Structures are given as structure tokens and as C-alpha cells.
Amino acid sequence: MMLSDFDAIPVLAVTDLQRARDWYEGTLGFTSQGDAVEGVMYSTRTGGFLVYPSGFAGTNQATAISFQVPADRFDAEVADLRDRGVELQTFDVPEGTWQDGVLVSGDMKAAWFADPDGNILNVETGM
């Protein structure tokens, strides 16, 4: 057996588990799959992720999770995030252009935002 034979999940460190639960469940609309020993599990269509308390929360400056959204649903998903109070982030990129907080490069669209601890999340048209 090799590691590639097993499922992998993203793991997000947070300072305050209840605040994180309020944001992931209330703002983003995830449903808790139950408390894990380390924190809280959330499911996605093909996987999931764990949110857990850690003193190292907020130290990652890179994208932690990328949600793949069908191109025909992308604009509606970004609008819904904004309606829920999520602020999009922009930054210097080597290619593409920013259009109202969304990176557009050819047929690809992507948007980045952060959770209350600074974990960077992303929605983008399927890879």
C-alpha cells in the first residue's frame, strides 16, 4: 500500500473552535458531520475537511482549500458569498486580470477569501 491509496483531507487550524463553527456553518452553509476528537468535520461532495483548534492558526499565507465550482455556477456562488458578508481578496498575479475581486484568466475564474483566523479559501471554475 502507498499513501496514494488512501483518502486525504485538508486540515484547518483555528484559534476559537466555536467562532469557526459559527462561520463555516452560518456564513458558508456547511453542515457539521460531527465532532471529531481533534475538532469538527465538514463534508463536501467528494470529500471533506477538518477544523481544529491550534496555537498555529492563521500562520499559513497560502490557499488552504480550493472549492471547484462549475463554470455556469461560479458567478452565482461568488454573489452568494458576498451576500453572506464574505470579503474577496486580491493580490499580485503573474497572469490574468482582476474583475470586481475575481481573477479571470482565459476561461478560468477564481476568487479568494479568508476565514476569521486568516485561513485562505478559494472558489474557482473546475480545473
Side-chain angles (χ1 to χ4, degrees), residues 2-116:
M2 301 292 293
L3 287 179
S4 61
D5 294 323
F6 302 100
D7 292 336
I9 61 166
V11 179
L12 300 176
V14 299
T15 56
D16 181 325
L17 188 57
Q18 186 56 54
R19 179 180 70 171
R21 287 186 79 140
D22 292 345
W23 194 79
Y24 281 95
E25 294 170 25
T27 301
L28 297 188
F30 282 98
T31 301
S32 167
Q33 298 306 303
D35 293 340
V37 173
E38 304 88 1
V40 180
M41 281 294 302
Y42 294 103
S43 291
T44 63
R45 185 174 58 86
T46 61
F49 60 97
L50 173 71
V51 174
Y52 78 104
S54 170
F56 295 103
T59 60
N60 182 6
Q61 300 298 305
T63 303
I65 298 179
S66 180
F67 298 96
Q68 303 299 293
V69 177
D72 64 345
R73 288 275 313 133
F74 181 85
D75 292 337
E77 191 64 35
V78 168
D80 185 54
L81 288 169
R82 286 184 166 139
D83 288 347
R84 294 171 179 257
V86 173
E87 294 183 27
L88 302 183
Q89 300 178 349
T90 60
F91 48 89
D92 291 333
V93 292
E95 57 186 66
T97 57
W98 292 103
Q99 297 176 7
D100 192 26
V102 173
L103 178 65
V104 178
S105 181
D107 293 335
M108 188 276 304
K109 290 183 177 181
W112 285 262
F113 54 97
D115 75 3

